[in-house]
Every structure is written in C-alpha cells, then in structure tokens.
Amino acid sequence: RQRLFCRVWLLKLPNTMQAHIHLVPIRKICPSLPATMKGILMSIPGVSDASVEYESRSIEVSFDPTRTSAEAVIAVIGKETGVGMWVE
C-alpha cells in the first residue's frame, strides 16, 4: 500500500477556509482528459475550484477542508480516471 504525503495550504478568508493542493499525474494523460478531470473534481462536495493544464501536466484544486480532504480528492481521481497523482 502506497502512502501519499500532501502539502496542503490553508487560506483563511473571512467566514471561509480553503485548502489548495497542486497535483501532477504520474503518467502522461490523454489530451481530452483535462476537461473530464475538471468535471470530476468539481463534482466532489467541498471542491470550490479546479484547474487542469494539459501542457504543464498540473492540477490545482481548492477545497473546503471541513468537507473533503486532499487524500479524498486524489482517491476520486484515481477511481474515476485510473490516473495516479504526485503531490507537489
């Protein structure tokens, strides 16, 4: 079983708290996958924003840490797309 360590930034705004993670796919992805992946990410309760860049192979996710976690986001990506993620 692989253990993932996440670097998560918490940003406290008035009446809100957001966490941000930067992910990189462990393998090359199909050019059509970013749009699919963004839809998957935005369907996770607590995710407020997601940016998927094919050219730079990067994914930025903002979420409410009281509703979901970095580990849960990574697990959903893996389950839905079969793509593992590195956390930067």
Side-chain angles (χ1 to χ4, degrees):
R1 180 175 169 157
Q2 183 180 8
R3 193 174 286 224
L4 295 174
F5 294 94
C6 300
R7 184 174 13 173
V8 178
W9 293 270
L10 293 176
L11 174 62
K12 179 73 173 148
L13 300 173
N15 301 322
T16 65
M17 183 178 286
Q18 288 289 301
H20 304 278
I21 54 174
H22 177 82
L23 305 170
V24 176
I26 60 171
R27 64 177 171 83
K28 191 170 182 172
I29 60 174
C30 171
S32 65
L33 194 57
T36 302
M37 197 172 292
K38 181 167 178 142
I40 291 167
L41 290 167
M42 294 306 293
S43 72
I44 300 171
V47 171
S48 58
D49 190 33
S51 171
V52 183
E53 299 292 330
Y54 175 75
E55 294 81 16
S56 62
R57 296 185 65 213
S58 68
I59 301 164
E60 299 283 338
V61 183
S62 299
F63 62 94
D64 178 348
T66 64
R67 297 185 65 205
T68 193
S69 66
E71 293 82 6
V73 169
I74 292 167
V76 169
I77 292 171
K79 180 181 175 191
E80 296 293 325
T81 67
V83 177
M85 295 287 149
W86 291 109
V87 179
E88 284 193 340

